[in-house]
Amino acid sequence: MAETPGLRLAPGPHVHAGQTTRAIMWWVTLSLLPAYLWATYLFGVRVLGLTASGVVGAYLGEWLVNRLRQQRQTLRDGSAVLTGVLLVGTLSPGLPLWMPAIGGFMGIVFAKMLFGGLGYNIFNPALVARAFLMACFPLAMTTTWLAPRPGVWWAADAVTTASPLTVLKLEGVARAAELLGLGPAYYGQLLLGFRAGSIGEVSVVLVALGAAVLLRRRILSVYIPLSVLVGTGLVALASDVPLFHLLTGGLWFGAFYMATDYVTAPLLPRAQIIFGLGIGALTGIIRIWGGYPEGICYAILLWNAVTPALNQWFRPKRVAPEAIGV
Amino acid sequence: MSTHEAGISGELRRFLRGGVSLEEHKEATAQTPITTFIPAEVTIPLAQHLGPPAQAIVKRKQVVQRGELIATAEPNGAPVHASVTGTVARVALSPHPTLTEAPAIVITVDPNAAAPQCTDDPAWATLPRDVMLARIEAAGIVGLGGAAFPTYRKLRLPDGVRVDTVVLNGAECEPYLTSDHRLMLESPKDVLRGAWLLAQIIGAQRVVIGVEDNKSDAAVVLQAAVEQLSLSPAPDVLLCRTRYPQGAERQLVEALTGRRIPARGLPLQVGVLVQNVATAIACYQAVRYQQPLLDRVLTVTGPGIGHPMNLRVPIGTLVQDIVAHCGGLDARTAMVIAGGPMMGRALGRLDVPVIKGTGGLLFLRVDDVQREPYGPCISCAACLDACPLGLEPNQISIYTEAGRALETESFGTRECFECGCCAYVCPAERPLVQFIQIAKAAFQTGSAIGLGVRPGVVHG
């Protein structure tokens, strides 16, 4: 008898859990929506423009490299969009609109595609993009924080201000306390997000909300983010304002969205805890004793370089014992 | 009656590590009693077990009785019997579910034949061990859990090996399949007698039956039968957590006895013998009634088949006849799988017979098996969490993809028993089991077979 037409042959398993790379990328992107909408509410619609710019740059970078290498386009996996969105989360809202596009493009091309594309990069592409912009446009990157003006969607006369961490670094603790009023009311504002800061980081609560969605969907696990927070907290005890360090800057955004990037973070919980503590501690050290007001970006990038070694040192433990005398 | 009332004691047994929680899909047939279907013709392959194929001893046009020996066993093989009464139509190469094509004896069923008499040996329980073993060997029984290893070979322990525990596998952890579940519900006493018998043969002092807690009704029925039969030693009925691959030998032994089988080793090394419940019934029938293994109980199920059911069919029944009996195929049926969805094997054609090791027939539609082309590993570690052995499927796949399969030994390639948990959870939908199979093949041949793909390129 003839072969029955149309029957598909494939190796097992023949069923799948359903969580795909693309779904993960889009869930992470979507989980950022509350934080980014909040930033839009505070700083105006230019936030959306910057986000679009970052995505376009990242997208173009990936498309171009695939094109030049004559490879199948990989844009459908959603990772380029996520890189663009994440990059913008680390940027100040007053930047020129074209700048995230440059960053996104360079991050994707140099940190991701030249390493072989998704899964093969060593450094977090969004953070490489930020570091690149920092090196090229230091003035714009550090002086374009906007004072929050809730509900003012469109302002030609946006007022720049200093970020809380910049105030601390430049003015010292005593003066910062005077200027910002480091009391419970101020910490409450930091938590909720009424403050100047990068687009993704301003509201700790909303970053945590997005992360909670990802934790619930088992896209994230808590090992890395919690140990980052603990690491920074421990080092910050050496400063006079540990709580201030825990609630400002990109700590939460970095801990939950940057340090947790699958590709550039270690595989196993024990390695992830060391990785997280290392990032957290380094962040605190840079902030308190280093030259920059904020340190999470470089802390993560440096620890990205340690990831392959951590994966070598920490391997899964076999269940089956080795045979003895049988 | 709850499992508690039935006296099933203790907490749920579980294996140590990994595994996945699967959608069960057992509801379609879990409540459906086993019915019998006899086709007009059967195709009985000579190769249905691990080991050399049997040698045919019948000729065309010869009339054979159900239960008659039609092919004798080669050393380390298993004999084959006529599963129906009828006339041999031909002895020829025929389509085979796993071997593509293999010699088979085709018998046209005589619909008017009387059911053959079976002899009941009243002294069955007190027979010497070697007589019991000889009857199991003569019955052509192989492991019915899927591996199809001749059972008498498993029961003939190597010198110096002592086995104190028989573990009976009633886990049936593959989704969709319910035939073992139904056997436990419908013939609990035969299951228990079979298990007891196996313990007698190998001199084990303990019998443990592991049932997943999604089949607690079967555990209750078995426990009630334990109390009625008063066998010595009395089998322990233990509930296991429903989690794939609970029914794999290593995981079951670990969950029920706490013993850990050495890497690449056998349960024998920790004093345990594992048998499937259907095999236990077959052994009981072979010893008591001297009845060969003639029928296969299997679940015919999945969204692609008209009427899902649990069927008892003569060995050699063609899949296409079963399809017709079960209400035909859905037009969107895209895959037919012999076995369960995790470890079952896709069939390319429907004119292949059910053999001794066929545990089920699963019919899936296009929507059920729709897949994206696979992508690069994103180091999410989901496979590391899922692997019940603590192996590294991610690394094996990456190395194999790069043509470096020979370097994967340290990631556990040889230990893998291909349960498929890793590939089930992989978000990049990488065919991790297949990569591991390729790596194993590379060890066999000593040459690293590269797939010739560039990293990052998706390919179907």
Side-chain angles (χ1 to χ4, degrees):
Chain A
M1 182 186 269
E3 211 153 295
T4 314
L7 281 188
R8 204 179 290 187
L9 289 173
H14 308 286
V15 285
H16 189 266
Q19 179 124 288
T20 61
T21 301
R22 184 151 45 125
I24 290 170
M25 296 297 170
W26 284 110
W27 271 107
V28 177
T29 307
L30 277 178
S31 75
L32 288 166
L33 204 60
Y36 281 51
L37 286 179
W38 176 254
T40 309
Y41 172 67
L42 289 185
F43 307 121
V45 289
R46 62 178 294 107
V47 166
L48 300 180
L50 288 168
T51 310
S53 164
V55 169
V56 166
Y59 212 85
L60 273 178
E62 183 148 330
W63 177 84
L64 187 71
V65 175
N66 279 331
R67 180 72 193 262
L68 290 175
R69 294 185 64 194
Q70 301 181 355
Q71 294 204 122
R72 192 178 182 282
Q73 285 298 344
T74 47
L75 297 162
R76 264 166 54 87
D77 65 32
S79 67
V81 171
L82 179 57
T83 299
V85 171
L86 284 174
L87 163 65
V88 174
T90 70
L91 301 178
S92 50
L95 281 186
L97 283 174
W98 50 267
M99 213 176 266
I102 304 283
F105 182 87
M106 298 305 281
I108 287 281
V109 169
F110 286 96
K112 179 178 157 188
M113 299 311 284
L114 291 189
F115 281 85
L118 178 65
Y120 295 90
N121 50 304
I122 295 169
F123 298 102
N124 185 317
L127 291 180
V128 170
R130 184 192 147 80
F132 175 84
L133 290 178
M134 197 72 189
C136 295
F137 313 104
L139 203 61
M141 288 289 285
T142 52
T143 59
T144 54
W145 276 291
L146 300 183
R149 289 203 292 177
V152 181
W153 302 102
W154 191 269
D157 58 339
V159 184
T160 57
T161 181
S163 78
L165 279 172
T166 316
V167 174
L168 184 70
K169 175 64 58 183
L170 295 181
E171 309 286 345
V173 177
R175 180 91 176 108
E178 205 174 295
L179 284 172
L180 303 168
L182 298 181
Y186 182 69
Y187 287 131
Q189 282 194 2
L190 288 181
L191 202 61
L192 293 174
F194 288 98
R195 54 127 161 164
S198 297
I199 287 164
E201 76 187 25
V202 284
S203 171
V204 169
V205 171
L206 292 179
V207 169
L209 176 77
V213 171
L214 300 183
L215 286 168
R216 198 179 150 66
R217 298 197 66 84
R218 298 189 172 212
I219 290 171
L220 277 192
S221 66
V222 293
Y223 300 109
I224 294 175
L226 278 192
S227 39
V228 171
L229 297 180
V230 168
T232 301
L234 287 177
V235 173
L237 288 175
S239 74
D240 298 316
V241 282
L243 194 58
F244 182 81
H245 280 293
L246 272 180
L247 292 177
T248 49
L251 185 64
W252 284 64
F253 188 72
F256 282 95
Y257 283 97
M258 292 296 195
T260 52
D261 171 36
Y262 287 149
V263 177
T264 56
L267 294 160
L268 297 183
R270 279 174 300 162
Q272 290 178 339
I273 289 168
I274 292 173
F275 177 78
L277 287 174
I279 289 172
L282 193 52
T283 303
I285 290 167
I286 295 174
R287 281 185 184 183
I288 296 167
W289 296 288
Y292 287 112
E294 169 62 301
I296 183 108
C297 170
Y298 295 113
I300 294 174
L301 285 173
L302 279 168
W303 277 89
N304 283 164
V306 185
T307 293
L310 285 172
N311 283 337
Q312 287 276 322
W313 291 329
F314 294 93
R315 302 263 302 271
K317 193 171 178 303
R318 299 281 177 81
V319 166
E322 276 304 314
I324 309 159
V326 280
Chain B
M1 190 164 50
S2 75
T3 52
H4 184 70
E5 288 165 60
I8 293 169
S9 57
E11 76 248 57
L12 285 184
R13 305 304 172 113
R14 46 184 68 203
F15 52 92
L16 282 174
R17 181 195 201 284
V20 290
S21 181
L22 300 171
E23 280 184 50
E24 292 172 20
H25 295 292
K26 290 180 189 270
E27 61 289 340
T29 53
Q31 305 303 323
T32 318
I34 300 165
T35 50
T36 300
F37 164 64
I38 297 171
E41 190 180 86
V42 293
T43 303
I44 307 175
L46 300 175
Q48 300 187 40
H49 50 262
L50 242 64
Q55 291 296 318
I57 54 167
V58 290
K59 288 205 265 308
R60 209 167 89 81
K61 292 189 176 166
Q62 186 173 334
V63 174
V64 292
Q65 297 293 318
R66 176 170 155 92
E68 188 178 328
L69 185 70
I70 53 175
T72 52
E74 294 285 290
N76 288 330
V80 172
H81 299 81
S83 59
V84 293
T85 298
T87 312
V88 176
R90 60 185 178 278
V91 180
L93 276 182
S94 301
H96 188 283
T98 59
L99 303 172
T100 314
E101 261 194 344
I105 298 168
V106 180
I107 303 172
T108 308
V109 177
D110 173 4
N112 304 315
Q117 301 284 319
C118 63
T119 53
D120 185 354
D121 182 348
W124 67 275
T126 54
L127 290 170
R129 287 175 190 178
D130 49 341
V131 175
M132 291 179 174
L133 198 54
R135 288 187 183 179
I136 288 171
E137 179 171 2
I141 296 173
V142 302
L144 299 179
F149 187 75
T151 301
Y152 74 93
R153 285 177 62 192
K154 207 166 167 179
L155 293 173
R156 193 185 285 156
L157 302 180
D159 287 339
V161 171
R162 295 183 116 179
V163 170
D164 58 14
T165 305
V166 169
V167 163
L168 206 59
N169 190 350
E172 199 166 47
C173 60
E174 279 267 13
Y176 287 102
L177 304 187
T178 57
S179 57
D180 287 351
H181 182 194
R182 291 309 308 177
L183 282 173
M184 290 188 283
L185 281 176
E186 296 178 28
S187 318
K189 289 183 180 171
D190 292 359
V191 170
L192 295 172
R193 289 179 184 127
W196 178 84
L197 201 72
L198 294 169
Q200 296 306 302
I201 292 171
I202 58 169
Q205 296 88 46
R206 186 166 182 233
V207 176
V208 193
I209 303 179
V211 181
E212 276 191 340
D213 67 336
N214 61 356
K215 293 175 274 292
S216 53
D217 54 345
V220 169
V221 168
L222 283 169
Q223 185 60 42
V226 167
E227 277 145 34
Q228 286 170 26
L229 284 176
S230 63
L231 297 167
S232 174
D236 284 329
V237 181
L238 299 178
L239 277 178
C240 305
R241 170 182 58 159
T242 301
R243 189 171 178 84
Y244 183 86
Q246 180 62 72
E249 277 192 340
R250 185 179 297 276
Q251 279 63 39
L252 194 66
V253 169
E254 196 173 281
L256 297 183
T257 70
R259 298 179 196 176
R260 289 207 220 166
I261 302 167
R264 300 177 299 281
L266 294 170
L268 292 185
Q269 291 168 316
V270 293
V272 178
L273 177 103
V274 182
Q275 286 291 357
N276 161 274
V277 290
T279 317
I281 295 179
C283 289
Y284 165 66
Q285 290 172 341
V287 172
R288 177 162 179 179
Y289 303 106
Q290 300 189 49
Q291 187 192 336
L293 182 62
L294 302 177
D295 296 333
R296 173 77 227 197
V297 176
L298 78 172
T299 308
V300 183
T301 186
I305 191 80
H307 308 303
M309 53 181 88
N310 297 299
L311 270 188
R312 182 188 308 276
V313 296
I315 284 161
T317 303
L318 295 187
V319 173
Q320 62 193 15
D321 295 336
I322 293 176
V323 167
H325 177 72
C326 293
L329 289 183
D330 185 293
R332 289 162 295 167
T333 302
M335 279 192 93
V336 181
I337 295 153
M342 294 298 285
M343 291 185 78
R345 196 185 158 94
L347 297 178
R349 48 202 297 177
L350 298 179
D351 54 348
V352 293
V354 166
I355 59 176
K356 292 173 180 175
T358 310
L361 289 172
L362 174 59
F363 297 84
L364 296 176
R365 297 165 306 178
V366 176
D367 319 353
D368 309 316
V369 294
Q370 204 70 56
R371 287 282 184 288
E372 294 276 319
Y374 72 85
C377 172
I378 57 169
S379 300
C380 67
C383 57
L384 302 180
D385 287 341
C387 179
L389 295 181
L391 314 181
E392 295 166 79
N394 55 337
Q395 303 284 18
I396 302 173
S397 83
I398 291 167
Y399 274 69
T400 303
E401 199 169 30
R404 295 168 65 181
L406 291 174
E407 295 164 56
T408 63
E409 176 122 38
S410 72
F411 305 123
T413 306
R414 286 188 205 272
E415 273 185 60
C416 174
F417 66 104
E418 302 174 14
C419 65
C421 289
C422 54
Y424 174 78
V425 297
C426 178
E429 303 188 62
R430 293 170 70 76
L432 296 169
V433 177
Q434 208 181 8
F435 277 123
I436 293 169
Q437 289 166 341
I438 291 168
K440 285 179 179 171
F443 290 148
Q444 296 272 317
T445 60
S447 81
I449 317 155
L451 286 188
V453 293
R454 286 175 295 173
V457 182
V458 277
H459 35 88

